[in-house]
């Protein structure tokens, strides 16, 4: 094996990193203050380049479902690199890892999914789905069905098409998005927008926005609806129980394809292997990435329903693909990842033991002066910070309090993310109840310090 790697000091690394343009970062500011350097990880702990230890309550970026430092994952990757580091899957070719992963995914996903297309990221997968949707309606001789409807504040990735599907104003604004052929409707955000309605009433109202938009555009012009079963980056927005059944009904009524973006929800995040099972969503496409490899290697998979695949397979060559579609090392690592999830019963544990325990402990924060709402399903959760709990009044400008709280978390050795003023968590599925207790202690310190800073008592 190789000798220990000699590393540069933190200051040296920050200097070396100065020319690196980071994603979702104010790079001018970063050049002045220097990057945070994460040097190592083990289990659910991160270590920065100065040796500080932090509890990662975010699983990297919603993805390290099995936790860090799994030796068998490294071994499988190493073995595959020696055996066949690369070969393509174009032109009627395959290799063992991609064939075996395909069978696994077909067997474990909902029954209508018996076809898989591979990419490298959630973004390119959603981009590919849009191409498939267009191909589908062209082949069905309904070429006017082109517009795809999605939600404001949804997140579907960062390519031009994926960012157009997404409903992030701050992404659209920079590059004249969305592209033509995209339309957005309101999100099912009960705490923020539900007013006096019960969650169930509000769920139906939010879903009705889809029907209104279809009627506005004309059903003959609308191709599909895409949504995350639970919006992740938008602030862990868990729709009321009435929402998805209504969406499903509307898609059927107006002949829309339904796309479930399970990039975050898939592979156990919600205590179900896929959130489509929990919400009873019968989609035509399912986007998978993140938890598919637990982030150890880049890979995405698009599950295509039979009724769509039958049509797509009638077009002759499907002229689309990436050099690394079905990369053998990524596929081998995905197989091992799924094996670990199953062998350690991580989904079952989150479903019946650790997920309910986390939900119960998070409830304690409801009494905190700064906390308007807590919500979670399985191991995806949010703590929403407000200025006035009774009036559900947010801070102005929105976002500063969340940033203050996030900084207190980091100072304290806890990684959470802030969206607006909502603290988000998505821990590795291997957390035990003891990890949850540790999280609660650290989060409480950060919440108290934040309340003090912003003057909420
Ligand atoms: C992260 C994410 C994507 C984009 O995946 P990338 O691998 O970052 O391109 C798409 N959809 C959802 C729901 C995501 O959370």
């Amino acid at each position: 094996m190789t000798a220990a790697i000699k590393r540069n000091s933190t200051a040296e690394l920050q200097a070396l990193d100065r020319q690196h343009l980071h994603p979702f970062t104010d790079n001018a500011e970063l050049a002045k203050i220097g990057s945070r350097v994460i040097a190592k990880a083990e289990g659910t702990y991160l270590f920065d380049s100065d040796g500080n230890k932090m509890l990662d309550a975010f699983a990297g970026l919603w993805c390290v479902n099995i936790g860090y430092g799994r030796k068998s994952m490294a071994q499988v990757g190493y073995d595959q690199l020696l055996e066949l580091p690369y070969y393509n899957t174009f032109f009627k070719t395959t290799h063992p890892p991609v064939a075996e992963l395909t069978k696994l995914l077909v067997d474990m996903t909902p029954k209508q999914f018996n076809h898989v297309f591979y990419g490298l990221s959630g973004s390119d997968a959603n981009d590919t789905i849009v191409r498939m949707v267009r191909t589908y309606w062209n082949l069905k001789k309904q070429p006017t069905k082109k517009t795809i409807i999605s939600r404001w504040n949804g997140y579907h990735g960062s390519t031009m098409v994926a960012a157009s599907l997404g409903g992030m104003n701050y992404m659209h604004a920079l590059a004249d998005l969305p592209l033509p052929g995209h339309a957005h409707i309101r999100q099912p955000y009960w705490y923020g927008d539900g007013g006096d309605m019960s969650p169930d009433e509000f769920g139906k109202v939010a879903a009705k926005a889809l029907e209104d938009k279809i009627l506005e555009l004309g059903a003959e012009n609308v191709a599909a609806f895409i949504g995350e079963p639970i919006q992740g980056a938008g602030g862990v927005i868990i729709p009321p129980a009435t929402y998805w059944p209504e969406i499903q009904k509307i898609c059927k009524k107006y002949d829309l394809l339904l796309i479930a973006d399970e990039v975050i929800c898939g592979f156990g995040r919600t205590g179900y292997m896929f959130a489509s099972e929990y919400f009873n969503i019968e989609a035509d496409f399912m986007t998978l990435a993140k938890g598919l490899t637990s982030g150890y290697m880049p890979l995405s998979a698009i599950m295509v329903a039979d009724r769509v695949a039958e049509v797509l397979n009638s077009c002759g060559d499907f002229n689309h693909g990436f050099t690394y579609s079905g990369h053998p090392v990524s596929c081998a690592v995905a197989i091992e990842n799924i094996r670990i999830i199953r062998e350690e019963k991580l989904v079952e544990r989150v479903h019946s033991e650790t997920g309910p325990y986390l939900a119960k402990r998070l409830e304690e924060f409801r009494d905190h002066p700064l906390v308007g709402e807590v919500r979670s399903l399985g191991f995806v959760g949010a703590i929403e910070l407000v200025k006035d709990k009774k009036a559900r009044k947010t801070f102005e400008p929105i976002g500063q309090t969340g940033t203050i709280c996030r900084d207190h978390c980091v100072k304290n050795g806890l990684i959470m993310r802030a969206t607006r003023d909502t603290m988000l968590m998505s821990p590795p599925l291997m957390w035990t109840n003891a990890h949850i207790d540790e999280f609660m202690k650290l989060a409480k310190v950060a919440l108290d310090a934040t309340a003090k800073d912003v003057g909420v008592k």
Side-chain angles (χ1 to χ4, degrees):
M1 297 305 277
T2 47
I5 307 164
K6 181 178 173 320
R7 294 291 188 203
N8 290 291
S9 71
T10 301
E12 286 165 340
L13 289 167
Q14 287 172 333
L16 294 173
D17 197 57
R18 202 142 286 147
Q19 281 88 14
H20 170 189
L21 300 174
H22 289 250
F24 290 98
T25 296
D26 178 340
N27 282 293
E29 186 199 5
L30 183 67
K32 284 183 221 134
I33 61 176
S35 314
R36 193 152 50 97
V37 183
I38 300 298
K40 196 178 144 57
E42 184 58 44
T44 180
Y45 296 100
L46 300 170
F47 299 87
D48 70 18
S49 47
D50 297 324
N52 297 307
K53 180 178 172 182
M54 287 163 285
L55 178 68
D56 185 8
F58 210 68
L61 211 46
W62 321 88
C63 57
V64 189
N65 289 11
I66 60 172
Y68 302 94
R70 297 282 192 154
K71 294 219 164 49
S72 67
M73 293 284 277
Q75 190 65 51
V76 161
Y78 177 85
D79 292 345
Q80 186 60 46
L81 280 164
L82 288 177
E83 178 100 5
L84 180 73
Y86 174 74
Y87 203 73
N88 70 73
T89 53
F90 287 31
F91 321 132
K92 307 189 172 75
T93 307
T94 198
H95 50 70
V98 78
E100 287 159 18
L101 178 62
T102 298
K103 170 73 171 133
L104 255 181
L105 291 176
V106 162
D107 286 349
M108 72 194 291
T109 50
K111 61 180 186 321
Q112 74 272 26
F113 293 123
N114 293 301
H115 305 271
V116 196
F117 188 92
Y118 293 97
L120 269 295
S121 71
S123 303
D124 71 49
N126 283 327
D127 217 302
T128 297
I129 289 175
V130 170
R131 180 174 271 221
M132 287 177 167
V133 166
R134 288 186 166 216
T135 306
Y136 174 87
W137 288 117
N138 286 341
L139 289 165
K140 295 272 278 186
K141 305 255 182 316
Q142 288 174 267
T144 59
K145 277 178 98 68
K146 284 279 147 59
T147 297
I148 302 191
I149 300 175
S150 51
R151 279 94 53 91
W152 290 116
N153 202 36
Y155 187 78
H156 299 292
S158 274
T159 61
M160 293 288 276
V161 165
S164 296
L165 294 171
M168 303 301 192
N169 292 325
Y170 54 88
M171 292 176 74
H172 293 169
L174 294 176
D176 311 318
L177 297 177
L179 297 170
H182 293 273
H184 296 82
I185 59 169
R186 72 185 301 178
Q187 52 181 341
Y189 176 28
W190 175 76
Y191 183 75
D193 303 334
D196 296 334
M197 281 180 264
S198 71
D200 280 358
E201 281 174 290
F202 176 70
K204 286 192 180 163
V205 168
K208 174 78 167 40
L210 176 59
E211 183 161 34
D212 294 345
K213 184 57 87 176
I214 294 169
L215 294 174
E216 178 195 322
L217 298 168
E220 71 282 7
N221 299 316
V222 183
F225 175 77
I226 181 169
E228 306 153 80
I230 292 173
Q231 284 156 260
V236 182
I237 291 163
I238 306 175
T242 49
Y243 181 76
W244 276 110
E246 208 58 30
I247 290 283
Q248 182 99 49
K249 231 189 286 171
I250 295 166
C251 287
K252 279 223 169 77
K253 183 169 169 192
Y254 296 99
D255 205 9
L256 265 60
L257 294 171
L258 176 56
I259 306 156
D261 183 340
E262 292 249 12
V263 168
I264 287 176
C265 293
F267 299 95
R269 174 63 46 212
T270 64
Y272 295 78
M273 191 55 90
F274 302 101
S276 289
E277 297 165 21
Y278 174 75
F279 289 111
N280 242 324
I281 303 169
E282 199 184 323
D284 296 298
F285 294 95
M286 194 157 81
T287 323
L288 304 176
K290 295 191 170 117
L292 169 59
T293 58
S294 285
Y296 279 64
M297 288 293 291
L299 184 68
S300 60
I302 298 163
M303 302 306 301
V304 184
D306 293 339
R307 73 175 188 123
V308 176
E310 274 161 28
V311 175
L312 290 181
N313 287 346
S314 71
C315 77
D317 281 357
F318 183 59
N319 294 309
H320 176 80
F322 307 110
T323 302
Y324 299 133
S325 284
H327 192 283
V329 181
S330 299
C331 289
V333 161
I335 292 169
E336 176 61 11
N337 174 59
I338 293 166
R339 191 195 66 75
I340 291 172
I341 289 174
R342 284 177 160 169
E343 183 177 286
E344 299 182 7
K345 300 200 178 336
L346 293 179
V347 185
E348 293 83 343
R349 239 170 73 185
V350 169
H351 179 269
S352 16
E353 187 193 333
T354 48
Y357 183 70
L358 174 66
K360 190 180 114 203
R361 296 284 334 252
L362 281 176
E363 284 297 318
E364 294 168 24
F365 285 146
R366 271 193 201 274
D367 297 332
H368 195 281
L370 200 54
V371 176
E373 193 194 44
V374 294
R375 49 182 182 265
S376 67
L377 178 67
F379 263 11
V380 60
I383 305 167
E384 186 147 349
L385 312 182
V386 292
K387 189 166 169 48
D388 179 345
K389 291 168 74 114
K390 273 210 195 78
R392 287 198 206 169
K393 197 171 168 322
T394 54
F395 288 97
E396 280 173 41
I398 203 157
Q400 287 180 354
T401 307
T403 305
I404 292 170
C405 187
R406 187 197 58 203
D407 291 347
H408 278 301
C409 287
V410 172
K411 222 186 314 165
N412 236 338
L414 173 65
I415 302 293
M416 279 219 269
R417 171 168 164 183
T419 286
R420 300 183 306 279
D421 291 329
T422 302
M423 305 309 297
L424 310 182
M425 64 180 309
S426 164
L429 308 185
M430 34 64 77
W431 268 22
T432 60
N433 288 355
H435 288 120
I436 294 169
D437 293 340
E438 186 185 344
F439 164 79
M440 288 296 296
K441 264 195 210 128
L442 294 169
K444 171 97 172 38
V445 174
L447 287 173
D448 289 348
T450 306
K452 206 165 146 220
D453 286 353
V454 300
V456 168
K457 288 198 203 82

